[in-house]
Amino acid sequence: MGVLSHLRVVEIGSSAATSYCARLFADFGADVQKVEPPTGDPLRRTAPVTPSGQSAWFAFLNFNKSSNIIDATDPDAITRLTALIENCDILVDGRDVDSADCPSVDIAAIRQRRPGLTYLEASWFGREGPYADFAATDSTVRALAGFVKLAGPVQGPPVHAPDFQTGILAGLWGFIAVASSAVARMQGGAGRSWSLSIFESSLAVSEYLMFEAFARGGVMHRIGTNRFWPGFPVGIYETKRGWLGVTTWTPAQWRAFCDMLGLSELRDDPALVLAEDRLQHMEHIERQFIPKLRERTAQDWFEEGLKRKIPIVRVPEISDLLLDTEKKARGAIVPILLGEEDGLTAGSMQRLTLTPPRRGGKVPAPGEQQAFAKHRTHLTGNVLTSGCIDAGWQPLQAVRVIDFSMGWAGPLCTRTLGDLGADVIKIEAIQYPDWFRGVDRSPAYVDDHMYEKAMCYCIMNRNKRGITLDLRRPQGLILAKRLIVGADIVVSNYSVDVLPKLGLGYDVLKTLNPRLVMMSMSAFGDDSVHRACRAYGSTLEQGSGLPSVIGDPDGPPVMSQVAFGDAVGGLNGCVAVLVALIHARKTGQGQFIDLAQIECMMPFAAPWITLSSMGGLPPPKYGNRHPQFVPHGCFRCAGEDNWIMVAAADEKMWQRLAVLIGRPDWATDASLKSAEARRAVEDLIEEGIAAWTRSRDADEAMSELQAAKVAAGVARVPNDLLADRHLASRAFLQQVERAFVGLHPQPSMPIREGPGPYAIRTAAPTLGQHNRDILSGLLGLPDAEIAQLLREGIIGMVMLSKGDLLQAEKCRQTDKSTLQS
């Protein structure tokens, strides 16, 4: 039946964001009723297409749904659609992106009659603000969101990925909003109404660089294909056979990388210890290690890197993914039936072990009903009251989370839970605090409290309480277990064996708390043959298959300029724990979630997986062009390295563009009416657009193009977003006060229940800030016991320097020997 089989979802309008949101519900058994016009959802005509001419993108977004054809010209259309909506629990609305000829219905009136209905409305930019009426495509939104400008060669236009990104990111956020509402409904009260900005959803990927730039005061610029600010080396490199993804961040990883290649001179150079320092010497370093990498195959280096705990990974082609038996066994690649065609696509990445998602399914033909859920009832759960929830009552207010995560992915997952009202308790140690605080352990760094000034840490850990516990000491372990007894969720993105070796594996914790949801967010998965592989967000992208479809047909695989995989892993993790929490609230039964973050990146390559599985040919690489929109690309504007993304998404938009750039003859030329006809002269058209943009400021060009209703977006760098007028008008950046940092901006969630964003309640905790609050107030420890824990270094509020850490380790070993004797 599926964990969500008690839910009925109706999907109206047409957008990738709402389609993916609804598909996530279908993955776990919900009855999803997709409303289409007689001609079908416009996404059914989205390129690239399978050998029989069906959309591979639509197939990925819509398997395991039912289709309802409603003709807006039918006199009974509104009645039929209203009845369908009134019989559902969740309405997912993409009409603001594309109405898809959906009949107009009075949603407010329906919600008055059905107060339990949860409503999600998606739009490109939100209902208000300077960009609210902008024409948009996936690529123009990504340009504005800071995805595009930093990727590609130093000279010439930036290089960007195909159009399959914003819908996935926004779909994850939409699901998070609606699933959190389902949790709240089980505690009593009415449904909720959410608005979702696709543009703001994409900023989950950009925000790390936005705020690193804010902290450093530096101006980011493109530093070359497969080069990655603010560290080095992070990129994709050619080997004797195949391509290798490399990420060396910490001093230890850099030393191990140099040792592996026999480059002792680089290893011992004090100017190259830190990743940001190595960035200043890129050419010098690459001249030495690139020839070394070409001496062995990518697979050889990957195996060697595993032994040395270096985050390196073989960069697969799409065909490699299709041969990966482990990904098929884990459900990351699943079978689908699309008409008469059998194929494969990306499955559900939320690997709940007790209530797993469906393993593939059928893509509905227009009007086809699929019978999955039986004996369905509306979501009520343990409803305590029929009254409305107070406006200040956040959906996860009754949820407690124990957060063992560090860096970006895990903390983003738990931050989102905290933003939605959960009580998140972050566990660090003075011996090993969150590495986003910095990896420098010099006395100067510690004495100046630099570990409290790291902006990336502050951004990822707001709305949490912080406690320090040395989990390697019996007293610390006992206290952690006591916290877990009263928790709903535990999240860890440590390597898979860390918590089990400490005595905090799920087999232990479920005996303490049977309703506990525990998630491990490792790189490859708990049962993977590569389970020990170290990884960052860059590693996850490198190993996902996505880089192989980006760039020019004869060029290398191309990665983005941010740790893409971290944000994606964090959002998928949040989706997974919410599904498991719904099940736990229904049944009292917790479960283990084995989330492989590398699999979470695979949906971005889903159309190519389907095409390759059906045709057996390598997927086409379009560069900056588009399989459907002509023209489409990134064009230079006036000034140094200023660019704008422009796309003609349909015939009318093409005609308006042609008139605007001074070529009305193109607009009236019948031979250029279709996109395929224009493709034959695409070079000439691009020259015409470039001549027009080159003399204009990028923002001026965007304003003129948008006034003509032509999809366009300035290619921003992430720090530009700190002063973005649209975000400012929507109060997206909130000012928060924090010790050691002072007043600083924080990004809001892209999901809202009203005109403004959810307020940020508290700044990120300083190290051990809430030790007393939690140990005394929550666990009832007396002051004397807390003071003893502090004296013994089990808790604390100051990070240990390298020398202090070595001394503490000696004392720990002495204590351990004494206990054993």
Side-chain angles (χ1 to χ4, degrees):
M1 292 288 290
V3 62
L4 302 182
S5 60
H6 60 295
L7 294 175
R8 174 169 287 180
V9 180
V10 170
E11 175 193 338
I12 60 177
S14 176
S15 83
T18 48
S19 283
Y20 190 52
C21 172
R23 202 213 92 171
L24 291 168
F25 278 97
D27 284 345
F28 286 94
D31 176 8
V32 177
Q33 299 287 324
K34 183 179 183 69
V35 175
E36 303 185 72
T39 55
D41 185 335
L43 289 174
R44 288 185 181 271
R45 298 180 285 281
T46 299
V49 297
T50 67
S52 71
Q54 300 192 74
S55 170
W57 180 226
F58 179 88
F60 163 74
L61 294 172
N62 290 285
F63 65 86
N64 285 330
K65 299 180 184 178
S66 293
S67 171
N68 291 268
I69 298 299
I70 295 184
D71 186 347
T73 64
D74 185 336
D76 295 328
I78 295 175
T79 301
R80 288 181 57 212
L81 181 57
T82 299
L84 191 65
I85 295 171
E86 288 188 336
N87 193 39
C88 78
D89 304 287
I90 297 162
L91 175 61
V92 180
D93 186 351
R95 290 177 298 166
D96 198 60
V97 175
D98 189 329
S99 68
D101 297 325
C102 185
S104 178
V105 287
D106 189 341
I107 303 298
I110 293 174
R111 294 194 71 238
Q112 284 286 331
R113 295 192 294 272
R114 279 290 319 284
L117 177 68
T118 292
Y119 178 56
L120 175 74
E121 177 187 46
S123 60
W124 284 116
F125 297 101
R127 287 292 191 182
E128 304 84 22
Y131 303 165
D133 295 324
F134 271 17
T137 67
D138 188 288
S139 63
T140 63
V141 169
R142 282 185 285 127
L144 282 168
F147 277 35
V148 170
K149 191 172 183 179
L150 294 180
V154 175
Q155 300 299 321
V159 173
H160 58 88
D163 266 9
F164 309 114
Q165 296 196 354
T166 65
I168 294 171
L169 291 167
L172 290 165
W173 275 111
F175 184 93
I176 288 166
V178 176
S180 70
S181 300
V183 173
R185 282 279 290 130
M186 301 175 86
Q187 297 300 116
R192 307 176 87 103
S193 180
W194 297 90
S195 63
L196 167 70
S197 164
I198 297 171
F199 170 55
E200 291 169 15
S201 297
S202 303
L203 300 186
V205 176
S206 302
E207 65 183 19
Y208 167 78
L209 287 184
M210 284 172 63
F211 293 99
E212 279 295 283
F214 171 82
R216 297 167 186 253
V219 176
M220 289 176 282
H221 56 88
R222 204 159 51 256
I223 58 176
T225 301
N226 290 323
R227 286 178 175 171
F228 185 105
W229 190 90
F232 184 83
V234 181
I236 294 174
Y237 297 96
E238 191 172 15
T239 68
K240 183 178 181 180
R241 186 174 65 250
W243 297 86
L244 188 72
V246 174
T247 301
T248 59
W249 194 260
T250 68
Q253 291 161 359
W254 169 244
R255 289 193 298 270
F257 181 68
C258 291
D259 284 340
M260 183 176 75
L261 298 176
L263 297 171
S264 57
E265 184 178 341
L266 290 180
R267 179 198 63 198
D268 298 333
D269 188 338
L272 304 178
V273 172
L274 299 179
E276 52 265 38
D277 294 334
R278 296 193 290 271
L279 198 65
Q280 311 307 315
H281 305 278
M282 294 183 297
E283 285 78 12
H284 168 67
I285 295 171
E286 284 186 341
R287 278 195 298 270
Q288 297 190 57
F289 80 69
I290 285 178
K292 295 279 189 179
L293 289 177
R294 288 174 176 161
E295 293 175 1
R296 298 175 66 180
T297 68
Q299 183 63 30
D300 290 339
W301 289 124
F302 174 58
E303 292 171 2
E304 189 66 31
L306 279 175
K307 299 174 189 174
R308 298 172 183 265
K309 300 181 179 180
I310 308 170
I312 57 178
V313 66
R314 192 169 65 89
V315 178
E317 300 288 339
I318 297 298
S319 57
D320 296 323
L321 298 180
L322 295 174
L323 296 174
D324 191 326
T325 55
E326 180 176 284
K327 286 186 170 53
K328 292 178 181 177
R330 288 177 55 86
I333 295 178
V334 296
I336 57 166
L337 179 63
L338 179 57
E340 299 298 318
E341 292 177 298
D342 289 308
L344 300 169
T345 194
S348 172
M349 306 310 157
Q350 295 78 36
R351 194 166 183 262
L352 280 63
T353 54
L354 180 65
T355 57
R358 290 169 171 154
R359 293 292 186 96
K362 184 179 181 183
V363 181
E368 180 182 6
Q369 289 285 305
Q370 300 192 56
F372 295 117
K374 303 292 184 184
H375 310 298
R376 198 194 68 80
T377 58
H378 288 300
L379 173 63
T380 54
N382 300 316
V383 173
L384 305 177
T385 173
S386 59
C388 291
I389 293 174
D390 182 87
W393 197 87
Q394 294 171 299
L396 300 184
Q397 204 155 301
V399 175
R400 176 164 293 152
V401 182
I402 306 301
D403 181 6
F404 288 107
S405 69
M406 296 185 180
W408 187 352
L412 175 60
C413 168
T414 53
R415 183 192 83 180
T416 305
L417 298 172
D419 286 350
L420 290 165
D423 176 21
V424 179
I425 298 176
K426 181 179 181 70
I427 297 182
E428 300 178 82
I430 59 173
Q431 297 83 2
Y432 299 101
D434 189 330
W435 70 269
F436 250 25
R437 292 180 179 272
V439 296
D440 187 346
R441 288 186 172 273
S442 66
Y445 190 88
V446 173
D447 292 344
D448 290 343
H449 292 95
M450 297 304 293
Y451 59 91
E452 295 292 9
K453 301 173 184 178
M455 189 55 62
C456 55
Y457 169 84
C458 294
I459 295 303
M460 297 301 162
N461 291 286
R462 62 162 184 246
N463 287 337
K464 302 178 184 180
R465 294 192 285 171
I467 183 174
T468 51
L469 292 173
D470 186 349
L471 300 175
R472 300 170 305 162
R473 309 272 289 279
Q475 302 98 315
L477 190 62
I478 290 169
L479 291 170
K481 288 180 177 178
R482 287 183 62 187
L483 288 172
I484 290 167
V485 167
D488 299 284
I489 297 167
V490 166
V491 174
S492 165
N493 66 345
Y494 298 159
S495 297
V496 292
D497 291 328
V498 171
L499 287 184
K501 284 182 178 178
L502 289 169
L504 293 171
Y506 180 65
D507 58 334
V508 173
L509 299 186
K510 70 180 180 181
T511 64
L512 303 175
N513 182 353
R515 62 186 175 82
L516 182 71
V517 171
M518 182 176 186
M519 179 169 67
S520 168
M521 301 175 64
S522 62
F524 284 83
D526 188 69
D527 60 0
S528 169
V529 294
H530 303 310
R531 67 196 302 270
C533 180
R534 302 299 175 93
Y536 293 96
S538 49
T539 320
L540 306 173
E541 180 183 0
Q542 292 159 354
S544 69
L546 178 61
S548 71
V549 300
I550 301 175
D552 295 327
D554 56 351
V558 176
M559 62 184 291
S560 63
Q561 83 290 355
V562 294
F564 200 177
D566 277 308
V568 173
L571 295 177
N572 275 276
C574 193
V575 166
V577 295
L578 288 172
V579 173
L581 183 61
I582 290 170
H583 177 261
R585 290 287 168 89
K586 286 170 58 182
T587 66
Q589 190 173 24
Q591 62 180 300
F592 181 71
I593 302 169
D594 175 22
L595 189 86
Q597 291 190 61
I598 199 164
E599 295 172 358
C600 295
M601 284 296 299
M602 291 175 58
F604 296 96
W608 314 118
I609 293 172
T610 299
L611 288 184
S612 296
S613 72
M614 291 181 174
L617 297 175
K621 293 174 71 173
Y622 299 108
N624 280 4
R625 288 180 170 175
H626 196 279
Q628 189 171 352
F629 306 152
V630 181
H632 180 281
C634 208
F635 299 91
R636 187 184 288 277
C637 296
E640 184 180 350
D641 198 36
N642 293 322
W643 302 84
I644 188 168
M645 186 73 72
V646 180
D650 55 43
E651 179 191 344
K652 296 294 185 183
M653 194 176 290
W654 152 248
Q655 292 171 344
R656 294 192 296 270
L657 172 61
V659 170
L660 179 65
I661 65 173
R663 292 303 304 262
D665 55 315
W666 285 353
T668 56
D669 188 339
S671 69
L672 298 178
K673 186 174 181 179
S674 73
E676 285 310 304
R678 295 193 295 275
R679 198 176 299 282
V681 291
E682 196 163 5
D683 288 340
L684 180 64
I685 293 171
E686 288 177 351
E687 289 172 8
I689 297 171
W692 184 84
T693 59
R694 221 172 0 245
S695 63
R696 286 167 170 79
D697 171 80
D699 280 278
E700 173 192 335
M702 182 172 72
S703 294
E704 291 189 53
L705 287 159
Q706 288 291 349
K709 289 299 178 185
V710 174
V714 175
R716 308 279 194 209
V717 290
N719 50 308
D720 290 339
L721 297 165
L722 294 168
D724 183 273
R725 59 193 175 99
H726 182 78
L727 296 178
S729 75
R730 288 174 53 79
F732 178 80
L733 296 174
Q734 301 182 45
Q735 296 296 320
V736 176
E737 183 75 32
R738 183 180 182 273
F740 301 104
V741 176
L743 200 64
H744 66 285
Q746 286 266 355
S748 300
M749 289 191 295
I751 47 179
R752 302 185 177 199
E753 289 195 85
Y758 265 34
I760 294 168
R761 304 186 304 280
T762 60
T766 55
L767 191 62
Q769 178 180 344
H770 300 100
N771 284 346
R772 180 171 296 278
D773 176 34
I774 294 169
L775 295 176
S776 175
L778 194 59
L779 298 185
L781 266 64
D783 288 349
E785 190 171 341
I786 294 173
Q788 182 67 22
L789 292 170
L790 182 61
R791 284 192 297 272
E792 294 179 2
I794 294 167
I795 65 172
M797 300 180 73
V798 178
M799 184 174 94
L800 298 187
S801 67
K802 184 175 182 179
D804 291 338
L805 182 62
L806 291 173
Q807 183 61 37
E809 182 60 25
K810 288 180 182 178
C811 293
R812 191 180 75 85
Q813 292 298 334
T814 300
D815 291 344
K816 185 177 179 181
S817 299
T818 302
L819 285 171
Q820 289 174 343
S821 62

